Structures are given as C-alpha cells and as structure tokens.
Amino acid sequence: MEHVVIIGNGISGVTAARHIRKLSDQKITIISAESKYFFSRTALMYVFMGHMKFEHIQPYEAYFWKKNRLDLVQDFVEKIDVNQKKVYLAGQAPIAYSKLIIATGSKPNKFGWPGQDLDGVQGLYSKQDLELIEENAKNAKTAVLIGGGLIGVELAEMLITRGIKVIFLVRENKFWGGVLPAQEAALIGRHIEKHHVDLRYQEELEEIIGDENGRVKEIRTKKGEIIPCEIVGLTAGVSPNINMVAASDVETARGIMVNEFLETSVPDVYAIGDCAQFHTSINGRKNIEQVWYTGRIMGETVAQTICGNRLAYNPGPWFNSAKFFDIEYQTYGWVFAQLKEGEEEFYWEHEKGEIAMHLVWDKNTHEFKGINSFGIRLRHDLFDKWLNEKASIQTVMSLLKSANFDPEFYKLYEKEIITQFNTVTSFEISLKPRLWWQKLMTS
Amino acid sequence: MKNIKYFGMGVFLLALAIFTSLAFVGNFELTERGMRAQLNEQELTNLEKPLMEEMVGKPYRTSFTFSRDFIAVFNRINEDLKAKEEWDKVMWSPVSGIALKLAQSSANGIVASHKMLFFLLTFGLGILGSLIYIISDLKIKGPPGIKNDGIYHDSATNRGWIGILTAVWLISFYVILYFHPYIIANLISITDPIKGLFIEGEKASKWFLYGLLYTTSMTVMGARMIIKYRHNRYQIVRTITVVLFQIIFAFLLVEILPMFGLPGKDLKSAWPLDYYFLFDWNVQDLMSSGNFGKFVFVWGIVLSIIIVPTMVYFYGKRWYCSWVCGCGGLAETLGDPYRQLSNKKMWTWKLERWMIHAVLVFAVIMTVFTGYHTYNVFVHPEMDSKEILFGISAFDIRSWYGFLIGSIFAGVIGTGFYPILGSRSWCRFGCPLAAYMGIVQRFKSRFRITTNGGQCISCGNCSTYCEQGIDVRAYAQKGQNIVRSSCVGCGVCSAVCPRGVLKLENGPEANRFGNEGPIVLGNNGFELND
Ligand SMILES: Cc1cc2nc3c(=O)[nH]c(=O)nc-3n(C[C@H](O)[C@H](O)[C@H](O)COP(=O)(O)OP(=O)(O)OC[C@H]3O[C@@H](n4cnc5c(N)ncnc54)[C@H](O)[C@@H]3O)c2cc1C
Ligand code: SF4
Ligand code: SF4
C-alpha cells in the first residue's frame, strides 16, 4: 500500500494529512519530535498567560487521529535517504515511504551574537520554548527583547503579565518598520508603550554577557549601554528548519526548494509550509511564506497532488492578521511600508489614536490594492472578492459599511472615514447603506 | 491599587463570614402564643400537647437544634397517626416549612432585634466589598481589552481549592434552601425589613431571601461584566438588559403585583422552564385574579407557543438565554469567571443531546399529566384527582419533576457546581426551554455565527471560553459557520478571538452554514474539484 510519511505535525503537515485522508485510503504517518499531538503554535502565548491550558491549544482530541487512521510517531528525524526512500529516526527503526512530505517549519534566527547560547537566552517557537520560558520567568525582573516583529510583541505581552519589566530593542526608528507604514508603526508603538513596554528604537544588540554559572546577567547594546537582565528574548525572525535534508539530494537554499506543485528536486518528496522556498515567486508573493494560513493552503494543495490531482499552489489574495496587546490588526491585499510607484493612499485614524484604516489603490486605474485595518474587523470574503475582481477603490469605499465585521452594537466609523476620504482625495463617494454581505458576494 | 483590591476582597469575605455565621447564632424559644399563631388547627390539635411539654419555654442556641427537636416531635406524632390509620388526622404539609415558620417566629436573639443592622453587615458590606474589588480592576488590568490573564493559574477559576470551597458553599446553600430552610431562619429574617418595604410588616420567605440574593449577585457581577468587557458594546448592552429583566420582572414586579392584589408572577418566565404553568394551584390562582390573572394565563400560552419560536427564528435563542432569562443572566454574571470550565469533549456533546432532550420529553409528559389533572379540577371536580391516566398520578410525576429537575438540576447542579462544571450546565444539559428553542435555532432560524473566511489560527480561545462547551474552533478553522442548537449567543467567543474571526449575526437562511470554501484554501482553482 502507498505510504505517505509526513515530517512535522504543524498546521502544514496536519492539513496535508487530513486532506489526504479525505481523498484517499493511503497509509499516513506523521512524525514530529516536538509533541505527539498537533497544537497551535500561534497560541503558545495564551498558555503562558494563563488564558488556556496546553490541552486547549490542541485542535483535535486524541480519538481524532485513531478514527482517521493517522499514525503518529513522536521522534526526531535525523536524515532521509531518498534513494532507498527511508526516513531515519533518532529513537526507532527507519520508516519507509512511498511519498514524503517535509513540513518541518522554522527555527528562530540567531545571528551569531556573542553569548546567544547562555542560559536565559531564548526564542519563542516551540513547546519546549514555552516550558523554558516558564522556568526563565520564575525569578526574572527584567527581560530584553531583540527584534521588533510579531513574536516579539507576543513575548512582551506574555512577560508583562508576570510583572517582568520588558525592554524592547528595535533596530529601525519605528516599530515593525519593514512591514508597517509609518502611521501604523507609530500607532502600534504608542500602544505598546502604553502597556509599559520600554521601547528603544535604533538600538541593536552587541553582546550578551553571562555570569559565572553561564546565565545571562546583562546585555550590551551597539551604543555601549549595559542593561542588566535575567531574560533575553531573541525574536528577530525565523528561518526554515531543513537540517534533516542536508545530507540528501534534496535541493535547498534558505529553505527546501520547490516548484509551484510543491515538489522538491527529488521525485516523491514534497515540501510545504514554513520550510519551503519557491524557485519563483508566486502571484508576486515572497518566496518563503512563514504564516499559518499559507501553511494550511500548501497542505491542502499538496494533498490534491498526492492523491492524483496534480495541483499548483495558487493562493488567493494575501491576507493576514495579528493582535498587538489590545489592538487587532487585519490586512487584505498589499499595503507596503513604502508606497509603490503609481500607488495612491488614504489613511484615517480615530482621534483616540487606536483605531485606524489605511487603503491603497492604483493612481491611474483606481484599482483597489490593499487595506490595513486596526481595531475594526473586516470581512475576508468581500475583500477577497474585490481583490480578485480588481474592484475599484470607489467600490470598496462606498460599500465599507457592508464590509464591517465588528460585533453587533459596535460604534461604526464609516461615515467619519468617508467624510475625510472625500475631503483629502478628489473622490466623491457616497456611502451605501449596509447590505447583507452574501448578496454582494454573488452580485 | 492592589491593596485596595485586597481590601475589597477582605470586606467581601467578612460579609460572607457574617452571613454564613448567622446560621449558627441567636436565641430561639417557642412561646405558646407563637405556636398558636403559626400552626393551623389540625397541627395544633396534634402537636399542642407534646410541644407544650417538650419545647415551649426551652431556649435553643440555633435554629437548627430548635427545628431538629420540632421535626422529631412532628414525625413521632405523624408516624403514630399513620400507624393507627387515622388518615384524616395525618399532617401532609412538608415539615421543613412548618419548622421554618416556627423558628422564625421564635427567634429573639441579637439577630432578631437588629435585622437591619445585620442586613447591612451582610448584603451591604458584601456589595461594597465586591464593588471595590471589581472597580479596582479598571486600573490594575490596564487598558480595555480581553484580560483573561492568569485564569488557569488561579485556584478560584481553575478548579483549585478556592473553587472547590466556593462550590461546597454554593451547593450547601442550595441544599439548605430547598430542603432544610429552617437552618437559615436567621438569614431569611434579616431581609424582613426589605420585604417590609413592599408590604408593611410582612415577613420574608425563603424565596424572598433567594430572590434578593440572586438579584444582588447578578447586579454586582453584572457591573463586573461591564467593566471587563467595556470595549465590547454587545456585552455591555446584553448585560444591562439581562440584569434589568431580572430586577424588574423577576424581582420587583413579583413583589409589587401582590400589593395590588394581583398574582406575583414572573412574566418573562416561559413554559417549559416555568414548569408549573399548568399546575392546578397556578391556574386556580390566575383564574381567581380577575382579568389580570386571565391575561397572565393567555400571555403564558402566547409567549411559549408564538413569541418564543418567532423570536428564535429572527434572532436565535440568544434573545431569551442571554438577554432575558434569569438562569442565563446569573450564568453570564456570577458565572462568568467559570465559563471556561465547561467540558468541550465530543462525549459531553453526545451526553448533552441525550440529556436535554430527555428533560424536554419529561417536561412535556409532566405537563400533559398536570394539565389533564387541572382540567379535571375545573371541569370534573368530583373525579378522584390523584389517580389519573394509566394509573399514574399527576401529583407524583410533578413532584418528581420538581425535585429532580426544578431543584436538584436547575439549582444544586446548575448553580452550585459553577466552579466545577462551568457556568451553564443547567442551560446546556437540563433546561427544557433551551432544548425547545435549540431545535428551532438549529433548523429554522436566521441566526448563525459567521466565520471570517480563512482568518482562524486555531488558537482555541473561542472553544475554551464557550460556556456551552461548543468546540467553536472546529468549525472556524474549516471556514464553516457555527450553527448549533446549544449556542446561547453570549458573544464571548467572538469577543475573545484574537483574529476577529467570529461574528454573531442574523441574516437570510440561505447559506447559513457557510462551508469549507476556497477561501480557507486560498486556492481558487480548487473549486473545480468538488
Ligand atoms: C509564537 C508564534 C506566533 C505566531 N503567530 C502567528 C500568527 O498569528 N499568524 C500567522 O499566520 N502565523 C503565526 N506564526 C507563524 C506560524 O505559526 C507558522 O508559520 C506555522 O506554524 C508554520 O507551520 P508549519 O506546519 O510549516 O511548521 P511548524 O508548525 O513549525 O511545524 C513543524 C514541526 O516539525 C517538527 N520537526 C522539525 N524538524 C523535525 C525533525 N527533524 N524531526 C522531527 N520533527 C521535526 C517541529 O518540531 C515542528 O513540530 C507564529 C509563530 C510563532 C512561533
Ligand atoms: S458559541 Fe459563542 S456565542 Fe454561542 S454560546 Fe458559545 S461562546 Fe457563546
Ligand atoms: S478564537 Fe478565533 S482564531 Fe482562535 S480558534 Fe477561535 S476562531 Fe480561530
């Protein structure tokens, strides 16, 4: 019988497994060293903060795997042999495969900083990191975080709930400046500071200094400042986790190289999720996509291919979301940190400075390009449709009310937004009354 | 600020300690006058002699020891009468109620002479302490937003020892209230001054104490809810509404209507939650109260048969469960700290479906029996009313229902087990009205929780905080909408979701369920393969 072996039980590997099971009867084995059962990495912070227990972040109960005949192996894959089609494990006999899916995710970046392996220095990626930070937080008073991205904010929020002072070193002069336009970066920066995080812009780590027991005791910044601390959080991004294929014929660069069918350079070996790198960018997206949603899409896509329906990865318009302390963020399409040539933009911010919307469109064709929304939830389906259809900015603006996804009774800001839009741009938009959004979907 | 919070907690605990200790203090002495005033003729004939000999003039330290002796006398005499088969002399009224009346009228200690003072020391201090505790969170927990920090580290909200202790207290309170109310004679009597505001000189019943405690808890904990969710207007509007329904309909009107000689009915309570709707005494009570009584009777029928399903069709059962109902209201306020404790496993969902529908069937059968009985009481008064329909007595079936469902399930388990089973175990497993509305909600309603395309990150906050134990994530992560009979539309899943994935809404029935569409996949080509 065909035997599909999947390395990695993250969202990519598990989605692939679920869909292969839906479509076929092949034997499926999922191998992971981190945990027996799939859990949601994105929710690690909530376990630390006491919102949930670890069992709550496991999306499926134990019976699910049995019922769907998904064999789980908790072990570490040391190497793969693509000629013999075998996977070699640290703790048990090798497993033979007919098809292999590599979904091994990422690992936190370490840029060779002196002292980066001291006790008390850690990233936040795995279940083990969660256990480690529980330990490290026990007697900590101060933590220094390096690198201002999403995981950094999550780590800051986590530590703050334990009464630990957080000093956040950000290389740029604004927060998450590589992704967020200046206005949003400022808004988020303010909000983070409101939560008593000590944000230090244009500061970089020079060295982590340990004590005689090999524990971190302080750090030195590039400017020479010494900051005593008990925890150093390394959150300067992640990179593909590809060690297990290093000695094989599978072609790699930063990640495991794949074509649009998620096939690697070796037949019957596929790579999906954080660890995959596309030869050529797909739909203008990055070659390596390290987000939950894309891992899921790749998992569903590769399942089709494995079950005989060779399908290219063809993600729809880009979307993402996050939460910065209390502010929810959603984005659809592309709003780049720097406005691109030929683009025009509109930014609205509520007077209290915690709700904002940023829209971008093409100057000539008026095609809607993307939206960032802070503190206002928006309907994914509608924006997906508008982006697919290359709808105009006028369409989007006039239907803003229907696109709102906030809970009932929430205060609505569309009028305010449109009034300002009509003032600062040359458009004359009249806001259409709220329509049942599904009617718009089919019209 | 932390210290202020602890101070508030201290004040609250002091009030709670005083309240609890009231059961153990006082002075109870039965007087001949008291005995004559409280007992009816039959009881007097039977009990006068032994009581005069054994109890009158004898001081007791607690209402419990007082009542224990009285119950012993009562039972002895009654057994005697039964043995002699003197059926017309046997006393049928529940002895616990008589014991309570006697204990209340025999109280003459410090509590009895300072009712208002003790009311202030318990209710007053309790409210004050809780409010200090609750309001200090405005500062301590920082800017508005979801602040569930530490819930699973706190022994009060994670089935730790504080939680267990809280449950023991609540369960004891319910058992005493329902079955041994004489133990808390003092606690009941400190609410006399409040009862007196409605009807001068009237003594509070155990239900008055309960109603007052219930309404106060809901109001104070409602304030907590509003502060906790002050960024979320749905929660604010809903909480204010449900608390007002409790104060006005379940408490004030029930007290005020009798002032005008009208029956004190909770007009929002719908059959089959209001299971005694067709009991003979209820119908008699209504029919003998003129036009208003008849209106209440007709209203009850219209409410259950027309208003309830129509509203569920338009808004989902949330209109009742989370906006109007007292049981739901208590769960959403007093129960909110415990909502995460509901079990989310598949087996509980199976159990839930069996149980709640079994209770509904039980309620319907019980109502048919009592309805038939009541009909006979009105139309064929000469018929022997005890034995009707297949040799089963309507009286038995309704007392079993009252005991098992009305008291044990709704009260002891439903509320007493908040800190163990989560806040809505009654609503989820036992409420026949919820079952009835659930069927409508599942099959014929415009309500659903919409999942926002592919934004779910499977974090599990929604499922964890669903008090009804719905595995919301199981739907959301597949891009499906949530259409479940048990959803009470509390909106908390939507509130705690960190990615803005869930929205409670009413809309056309078409496409209600959503589906695992191309958007989760993000792969437009996929549609071709279905
Ligand atoms: C704290 C945090 C928060 C995040 N929040 C968001 C968010 O809000 N939104 C979002 O879109 N994305 C978020 N992400 C990113 C997202 O979680 C990842 O993109 C996604 O989990 C990647 O899934 P994956 O299946 O490709 O890999 P992973 O989830 O990393 O799974 C790979 C698995 O393979 C195992 N493995 C690796 N090598 C071996 C080996 N040799 N032998 C055995 N097992 C092995 C690993 O132990 C791991 O269990 C977050 C990430 C983190 C760390
Ligand atoms: S599904 Fe959501 S709205 Fe419904 S009961 Fe559960 S938490 Fe409340
Ligand atoms: S809370 Fe939101 S993101 Fe988390 S599992 Fe539920 S729907 Fe998904």
Side-chain angles (χ1 to χ4, degrees), chain A residues 11 18-19 22 38 40 42-43 46-53 55-61 63 134 154 161-162 191 194-195 292-293 296-297 300-301 304 309 311-317 319-323 326 328 330-332 377-381 384 388 404-411 434 436-439, chain B residues 141-153 158-159 231-234 237 318 323 340 344-347 448 450-461 464-465 471 473 477-478 481 494-508 510-512 514 516 519-526 529:
Chain A
I11 181 67
R18 271 183 52 225
H19 283 265
K22 256 192 184 172
F38 166 50
S40 179
T42 51
Y46 299 110
V47 177
F48 182 83
M49 299 199 297
H51 293 207
M52 289 187 273
K53 294 207 259 191
E55 64 186 64
H56 295 124
I57 70 169
Q58 295 171 336
Y60 303 101
E61 283 180 59
Y63 79 84
E134 273 294 346
E154 293 189 357
T161 64
R162 297 281 174 99
H191 185 69
K194 187 166 155 194
H195 280 273
W292 187 260
Y293 319 105
R296 200 171 56 199
I297 301 171
E300 297 200 40
T301 310
Q304 292 286 325
N309 171 31
L311 193 73
Y313 175 61
N314 177 24
F319 66 95
N320 200 2
S321 59
K323 193 172 179 189
D326 302 316
E328 287 176 18
Q330 293 187 339
T331 184
Y332 301 101
R377 297 176 173 179
L378 298 172
R379 283 189 200 271
H380 187 176
D381 309 61
D384 192 68
N388 272 328
N404 183 297
F405 197 72
D406 275 339
E408 294 148 303
F409 301 106
Y410 264 45
K411 192 164 159 45
R434 190 185 190 104
W436 179 241
W437 60 282
Q438 281 178 338
K439 291 214 173 102
Chain B
K141 297 211 165 157
I146 294 299
K147 300 288 145 68
N148 287 332
D149 305 338
I151 284 191
Y152 275 99
H153 302 149
N158 184 27
R159 297 198 190 105
H231 61 289
N232 187 317
R233 282 233 208 153
Y234 181 77
V237 177
R318 56 180 173 155
W323 289 73
Q340 68 282 356
K344 317 298 180 319
K345 298 254 161 65
M346 182 59 92
W347 68 265
R448 87 290 315 271
T450 303
T451 287
N452 201 10
Q455 287 281 23
C456 175
I457 52 167
S458 303
C459 70
N461 275 296
T464 305
Y465 287 90
D471 190 357
R473 165 177 58 193
Q477 66 189 357
K478 288 195 264 181
N481 294 347
S494 160
V496 297
C497 174
R499 294 294 178 272
V501 178
L502 305 164
K503 179 170 164 70
L504 285 67
E505 54 186 357
N506 315 308
N511 238 330
R512 234 180 123 209
E516 189 166 358
I519 197 138
V520 181
L521 193 72
N523 209 328
N524 298 320
F526 194 67
N529 303 305

Side-chain angles (χ1 to χ4, degrees), chain B residues 158-172:
Chain B
N158 184 27
R159 297 198 190 105
W161 66 272
I162 300 181
I164 292 174
L165 226 59
T166 314
V168 168
W169 194 96
L170 285 170
I171 293 164
S172 314

Side-chain angles (χ1 to χ4, degrees), chain B residues 108-121:
Chain B
N108 60 17
I110 170 160
V111 182
S113 49
H114 297 85
K115 288 178 183 168
M116 195 61 196
L117 175 71
F118 279 95
F119 179 76
L120 291 176
L121 284 177

